[in-house]
Amino acid sequence: MEQISFLPTFASWQVAARRALQNEIRPDQIAWEELGEDQPPLHLFEEAEPETAAKPASQFRVPKRFLALAKLISLHRDASRWPLLYRLLWRLTHGETHLLEITVDPDIAQAHDFEKAIRRDIHKMRAFVRFREIEHAGEKWFVAWFEPAHHIVEQNASFFADRFASMRWSILTPDRSVHWDRKTLTFTAGVPRSEAPAADQMEELWRTYYANIFNPARVKVHAMQAEMPKKYWKNLPEATLIPSLLHEAPQRIETMMKKSAAKIAQADGDEWYPAPTPKTSSLTTLRGAARGCTACPLYRNATQTVFGEGPKHAKMMFLGEQPGDQEDLSGKPFIGPAGQLLDRALKDAGIDRNSVYVTNTVKHFKWEPRGKRRIHQKPSSRDIAACRPWFEAELQVVRPAILVCLGSTAAQALFGSSFRVTKERGKLLESELAPRVVTTVHPSALLRQPDEEARVREYAHFVQDLGVALRAAER
Ligand code: URA
């Protein structure tokens, strides 16, 4: 038996695993030992073997998808993730090149369970981190305490940096802490719970806010507990309000019904928060829950939430920007002019619209009045961040073989604001959220072409991009 000691990070495991592979050490011959940060890697396997004995690293080609999956799984807290990853790596490089497609394989099933748990934890952190305001060196600083189930702090940090870009903040956790000074993310060691700030002004504010946005008509105790497990309640200031809010719910519903919708909308402050998606594998349940979403102010001027549509196990998912005027009125995505053009292009690319899942990054129509018309407005990064949990939930349920981002809003929601569709369109890409992604222009861009020649050329290019996605989905 070989003992391989390594720091429990993906990078460190990767070095050790590559070396073990080069030396043809079978998975059942290895005992993986995680080193603490203070332990010297005395038995680090990579130092034990001379370089010359090894096969060249290039011999061990694995699908990119495996790398993305392995990186994610390495964040799991279970120590068995390391031998699992090595077994997968071994099998992929020893003849089982299609292993990742065999979902019934016990190692793959285990890997997917780990992946799911991590994605859920990432989502929980996004939904349940609550900042409290403190004074720090004469500046306002916002501090949150969170106890993630897995090692997801670094993975999640850029989400918080995007969402709370203008604040200075720290998120403290027992494993790792992350800090944002409005420019740079830094990471420090974890802290004991006692160092998290006590109740303060920010907490009071949050409680008031939560009481204001609490919609008694939507209270379902079981759903609420499933979404907000008791484990998280102790860190959520609003949790102390839940029993009394539930108690007052029937009366509050009656009062609400007496008020006009417009007045209720005015009474709420302009607040954005991540949409609270229920934990479910049912699209119908998700769609129902999204109907009452008030996570950002867009619901006030929209007719309804326009949720995604299509078969639950569609191989292809299409992600647009946000519903337009006709979609807002009908409640269905992509049925207006852009939708009709999309339908035509799908057909020309050999894709049946009824077999694909179509949704939007933002699920309410954002518009401003111009005369009698409602003019489309681009969603802000806050609108997108607030709505994101719905799209993530759709992705987790549908698990498409390929995600097609239509236009820059969708593509940037996946790859960040520096992503350029014009540069990357038609390429098969990987992302944290979806293993295979193709980006292309939004069909409405085709409608805006200046002349017939440009329209024909751009349409053909669009159909060609859809063809790339179709072939990837069929692979
Ligand atoms: N544009 C989009 O991005 N989505 C729709 O549903 C309609 C138009």
Side-chain angles (χ1 to χ4, degrees):
M1 199 73 162
E2 296 281 351
Q3 178 170 314
I4 300 188
S5 306
F6 64 107
L7 288 170
T9 65
F10 181 71
S12 171
W13 173 83
Q14 202 181 17
V15 169
R18 191 179 295 139
R19 191 58 58 89
L21 258 196
Q22 285 171 335
N23 288 284
E24 286 288 328
I25 305 180
R26 297 181 55 81
D28 54 7
Q29 293 170 339
I30 301 177
W32 293 93
E33 193 213 13
E34 290 187 10
L35 290 169
E37 300 216 346
D38 47 348
Q39 272 174 287
L42 283 181
H43 311 291
L44 196 58
F45 181 77
E46 65 189 291
E47 291 172 356
E49 290 291 330
E51 193 67 51
T52 47
K55 294 180 185 173
S58 60
Q59 202 164 323
F60 306 116
R61 291 242 171 258
V62 288
K64 266 192 176 172
R65 199 146 64 88
F66 171 69
L67 270 189
L69 181 72
K71 269 187 201 154
L72 207 60
I73 289 176
S74 71
L75 308 178
H76 203 283
R77 208 175 276 280
D78 193 323
S80 70
R81 67 197 184 282
W82 304 118
L84 170 70
L85 286 179
Y86 188 68
R87 272 202 307 283
L88 292 173
L89 182 62
W90 178 270
R91 294 177 62 188
L92 281 166
T93 53
H94 286 76
E96 296 183 69
T97 46
H98 296 294
L99 178 61
L100 297 184
E101 271 89 65
I102 307 173
T103 48
V104 292
D105 179 275
D107 282 343
I108 295 294
Q110 177 67 76
H112 284 156
D113 282 353
F114 279 174
E115 183 197 6
K116 237 196 209 155
I118 291 153
R119 289 196 192 282
R120 199 177 307 128
D121 201 32
I122 287 174
H123 166 66
K124 292 285 180 213
M125 182 170 171
R126 292 176 184 186
F128 297 135
V129 156
R130 299 286 184 269
F131 289 104
R132 298 164 180 182
E133 185 183 332
I134 59 166
E135 279 279 311
H136 178 75
E139 305 272 13
K140 271 187 197 161
W141 203 278
F142 294 87
V143 182
W145 170 260
F146 190 73
E147 288 169 80
H150 303 290
H151 302 285
I152 55 163
V153 173
E154 293 183 6
Q155 178 82 8
N156 242 348
S158 58
F159 167 85
F160 288 94
D162 277 354
R163 182 149 157 66
F164 301 107
S166 60
M167 288 161 43
R168 295 182 176 86
W169 53 257
S170 297
I171 303 174
L172 314 176
T173 90
D175 306 307
R176 202 100 178 95
S177 299
V178 52
H179 315 271
W180 172 251
D181 62 1
R182 305 209 283 211
K183 277 199 212 103
T184 319
L185 280 170
T186 43
F187 296 90
T188 56
V191 287
R193 185 169 210 290
S194 54
E195 283 188 28
D200 62 16
Q201 193 195 356
M202 183 64 181
E203 184 160 352
E204 270 317 300
L205 270 179
W206 173 250
R207 285 159 66 103
T208 314
Y209 162 66
Y210 187 78
N212 280 340
I213 52 125
F214 185 86
N215 179 348
R218 290 192 290 122
V219 176
K220 288 196 188 104
V221 180
H222 290 302
M224 197 156 160
Q225 286 179 351
E227 170 58 21
M228 194 190 280
K230 283 240 163 69
K231 175 177 157 199
Y232 297 102
W233 285 31
K234 61 181 186 289
N235 300 320
L236 297 180
E238 70 269 27
T240 58
L241 296 170
I242 291 171
S244 68
L245 288 168
L246 286 173
H247 183 70
E248 293 160 12
Q251 220 217 306
R252 294 185 78 214
I253 292 173
E254 216 183 300
T255 319
M256 268 176 65
M257 283 168 67
K258 284 186 194 146
K259 288 185 186 179
S260 74
K263 274 196 182 141
I264 294 165
Q266 276 171 15
D268 291 343
D270 260 9
E271 295 288 354
W272 284 256
Y273 61 98
T277 54
K279 197 172 128 192
T280 176
S281 58
S282 157
L283 285 174
T284 313
T285 307
L286 280 177
R287 186 173 293 113
R291 241 177 246 138
C293 186
T294 55
C296 76
L298 297 189
Y299 74 97
R300 294 189 189 140
N301 294 330
T303 309
Q304 58 193 310
T305 306
V306 180
F307 205 71
E309 269 193 2
K312 182 170 177 182
H313 297 301
K315 278 195 168 171
M316 304 183 82
M317 182 186 277
F318 289 80
L319 182 67
E321 183 193 68
Q322 61 167 346
D325 185 77
Q326 294 191 33
E327 287 81 11
D328 171 76
L329 296 172
S330 68
K332 291 175 170 299
F334 279 104
I335 56 143
Q340 287 159 26
L341 191 59
L342 175 65
D343 283 357
R344 200 181 113 207
L346 287 175
K347 208 166 161 200
D348 287 345
I351 301 167
D352 174 8
R353 161 122 189 205
N354 293 323
S355 73
V356 304
Y357 190 89
V358 179
T359 192
N360 282 300
T361 313
V362 169
K363 302 217 171 4
H364 279 120
F365 179 33
K366 184 170 185 176
W367 58 278
E368 61 179 18
R370 196 168 305 154
K372 285 189 181 164
R373 293 179 59 211
R374 302 193 296 172
I375 304 299
H376 163 277
Q377 274 194 298
K378 206 171 161 54
S380 70
S381 53
R382 286 201 291 177
D383 303 329
I384 294 168
C387 213
R388 189 181 177 97
W390 293 120
F391 157 60
E392 287 187 6
E394 287 174 297
L395 254 185
Q396 280 201 10
V397 173
V398 179
R399 289 188 165 276
I402 188 97
L403 174 69
V404 184
C405 293
L406 300 170
S408 62
T409 299
Q412 289 179 358
L414 244 83
F415 296 108
S417 54
S418 56
F419 187 88
R420 294 288 165 263
V421 171
T422 40
K423 267 183 70 189
E424 305 293 338
R425 66 182 292 184
K427 294 183 192 164
L428 192 55
L429 307 172
E430 278 180 15
S431 82
E432 268 168 36
L433 285 180
R436 284 192 281 180
V437 184
V438 169
T439 67
T440 184
V441 294
H442 194 282
S444 64
L446 308 178
L447 294 169
R448 292 194 299 267
Q449 292 303 311
D451 53 46
E452 186 58 16
E453 191 192 331
R455 262 194 296 279
V456 170
R457 186 186 60 237
E458 285 308 309
Y459 178 79
H461 196 170
F462 183 59
V463 173
Q464 187 186 330
D465 292 345
L466 298 183
V468 173
L470 174 65
R471 284 190 293 283
E474 285 173 342
R475 228 174 279 149

